[in-house]
Structures are given as structure tokens and as C-alpha cells.
Amino acid sequence: MPNKKTRPQPRTNAGAREEAAAPQSTLKDLLSADTLQKLKERAESIKAEERERAEAKRAAEEAARKAEEKRLAGDFGHLLDNSGLDWKSFK
């Protein structure tokens, strides 16, 4: 059984060392300026659509809550259930 000192070291390829030494290209470097600008504009439009969608959802939830509140305000059973039972304070 070989011990750690006599174990052969793994070899590295010369090509791997050359690739590591070469500067890495990013997607931003490979794209043209107008394509990059179009992507940025598309990202901004998607964010704007998401904000509008969230605002519309919030407004719909608010309208539904107000409608339910208005409906329950006319329901005598609901008002009786949720009113205080201490009638002495109203004398």
C-alpha cells in the first residue's frame, strides 16, 4: 500500500494552463452594443410590467375588501355578532 509521500501527483494538461492564462470572455463582451441596449430595455419593460401587475393585484384586493366590508355593514347578524355585549355603557 503506497503512502502519501510516494503517491504520484496528478498531471495537468498544458492546454488547461494556457486557457487559464488567457483572459476570459464574458457574454457582455461578445454582444454588440445595440443588442445589449435592447436586452436592458426589455429587462426594464419586464420590471415595469411586474410593478403594474402587482399594483393591479393590490387594487383588486383593496376593492374586494371594501366591498366585503360594505356588504357586512348591512348584515344585522354580523353586526350583532361583532358588537360589544356591554349595553350598560350606552345608557
Side-chain angles (χ1 to χ4, degrees):
M1 199 168 209
N3 61 17
K4 290 182 182 179
K5 291 182 180 178
T6 59
R7 189 176 295 166
Q9 298 294 324
R11 293 185 183 191
T12 58
N13 293 337
R17 278 185 263 141
E18 290 175 13
E19 289 178 12
Q24 301 225 350
S25 297
T26 62
L27 185 59
K28 184 178 178 180
D29 296 335
L30 299 175
L31 293 176
S32 64
D34 60 334
T35 305
L36 194 58
Q37 183 63 28
K38 287 178 186 178
L39 287 172
K40 286 181 182 179
E41 290 172 0
R42 180 68 181 139
E44 289 174 7
S45 68
I46 289 172
K47 287 178 185 177
E49 289 171 4
E50 185 63 31
R51 282 191 299 270
E52 290 172 5
R53 192 176 308 119
E55 179 63 26
K57 181 180 178 184
R58 189 199 60 75
E61 289 173 353
E62 180 72 18
R65 186 187 61 77
K66 284 187 178 185
E68 180 70 12
E69 196 174 284
K70 186 176 181 180
R71 184 187 68 81
L72 291 175
D75 185 11
F76 185 71
H78 174 74
L79 292 174
L80 186 61
D81 290 340
N82 291 328
S83 66
L85 298 177
D86 184 20
W87 293 99
K88 291 181 183 178
S89 63
F90 293 106
K91 276 190 171 179

